Amino acid sequence: MSSISPTDPTAHAGRWPVFMSRSAFVFAALLTLIVAFYVVEKVRGNATWKKYQTEARARGAKLTMAEYVPPPVADERNYAAIPLFQDMFKNPTPANPLAWPQISGIKQPPFDSVAKGERIDLAAWQKFFVEVKMLPAAGESAPRDVLQALEKYAPQFEQLRLAGARPECRFPVRYEDGAAAALPHLQLIQSGARLYALRLAAHLALGDSPAAYEEFRSGFRLYTALEKEPTLI
């Protein structure tokens, strides 16, 4: 009777195909199970997502970026359809038409602070406007000097005043650019709010409440221009 040695290479050669065949079967079975799992989960996921979409839309929820883009507005009804805003979008590097001169070494005075109980210091702004050459010299009345200095922006304020009667607002933002969309109007609105605050404070200091109210109303319209902006900025 013959025996096969444990180290006999012919014995291993006979077992190797059987091992490979079984391993391939196990691998194929596992692969099939994994693929089946993902297919089932994808089907379940799509069904769950469609159900959520139906329920969310029934509540009025918006589910795509395109749904957040404001609809077009006719120019005669559009607060933003004035050169002041439109020119900011035409230039890749627009200059802010409501910014005051920036001169090295000259610090801008602070605005009022409700938290600190501080009001706008019109005398400090009078000095600032003299330093940046928006006033030839300081006069006896800081409020009047501030209003005089801000006459530099009279054409821009007139555009905003006339546009204030338009009931809607839609800025020409390229929303299709997503997070890379340019928003040059934001700096203009921020600067405009500061100028309105200065004019309002100056009119109040002069006891001219009607003029102060008009500044408030125009400034508030500038603020509400952002109501339908689909951004968090």
Side-chain angles (χ1 to χ4, degrees):
M1 183 176 180
S2 63
S3 61
I4 299 176
S5 170
T7 58
D8 188 348
T10 59
H12 290 288
R15 294 171 184 169
W16 183 250
V18 175
F19 173 77
M20 289 297 295
S21 176
R22 291 177 178 175
S23 297
F25 175 78
V26 172
F27 176 77
L30 288 174
L31 183 61
T32 301
L33 287 174
I34 292 172
V35 171
F37 172 79
Y38 278 102
V39 169
V40 170
E41 286 302 305
K42 182 176 181 180
V43 172
R44 289 177 58 191
N46 285 338
T48 302
W49 173 237
K50 288 179 180 178
K51 179 182 177 182
Y52 171 79
Q53 283 182 309
T54 301
E55 295 173 349
R57 292 192 187 284
R59 299 193 304 267
K62 298 177 181 179
L63 302 177
T64 65
M65 288 293 294
E67 292 177 272
Y68 284 90
V69 177
V73 176
D75 285 354
E76 62 271 16
R77 296 179 57 82
N78 189 4
Y79 179 76
I82 56 176
L84 184 65
F85 290 116
Q86 297 295 318
D87 292 347
M88 293 286 286
F89 286 90
K90 293 177 182 177
N91 190 337
T93 55
N96 186 347
L98 294 179
W100 37 65
Q102 300 291 325
I103 300 178
S104 178
I106 300 178
K107 187 178 180 181
Q108 170 192 305
F111 284 85
D112 58 335
S113 171
V114 176
K116 297 180 180 179
E118 298 174 352
R119 296 184 179 182
I120 292 177
D121 186 346
L122 294 173
W125 280 97
Q126 177 191 44
K127 179 182 177 183
F128 171 77
F129 288 137
V130 171
E131 291 174 339
V132 298
K133 311 301 182 184
M134 289 177 64
L135 282 173
E140 296 182 359
S141 171
R144 294 188 187 281
D145 278 358
V146 168
L147 291 174
Q148 179 184 337
L150 296 181
E151 279 298 303
K152 170 185 176 179
Y153 307 99
Q156 293 92 319
F157 279 118
E158 181 63 11
Q159 285 189 47
L160 291 171
R161 186 187 70 80
L162 294 175
R166 300 176 184 179
E168 300 179 64
C169 185
R170 208 286 196 183
F171 294 98
V173 177
R174 286 179 50 86
Y175 292 106
E176 60 269 26
D177 292 341
L183 305 172
H185 60 300
L186 297 185
Q187 62 170 319
L188 192 150
I189 289 175
Q190 192 174 51
S191 296
R194 292 168 178 164
L195 295 178
Y196 275 121
L198 283 176
R199 284 163 56 114
L200 190 155
H203 285 304
L204 286 177
L206 294 172
D208 191 347
S209 296
Y213 173 71
E214 288 303 316
E215 300 296 346
F216 170 79
R217 189 169 66 170
S218 296
F220 190 72
R221 180 65 185 97
L222 185 65
Y223 164 75
T224 57
L226 296 174
E227 279 184 331
K228 295 184 179 179
E229 286 280 285
T231 66
L232 294 177
I233 300 177

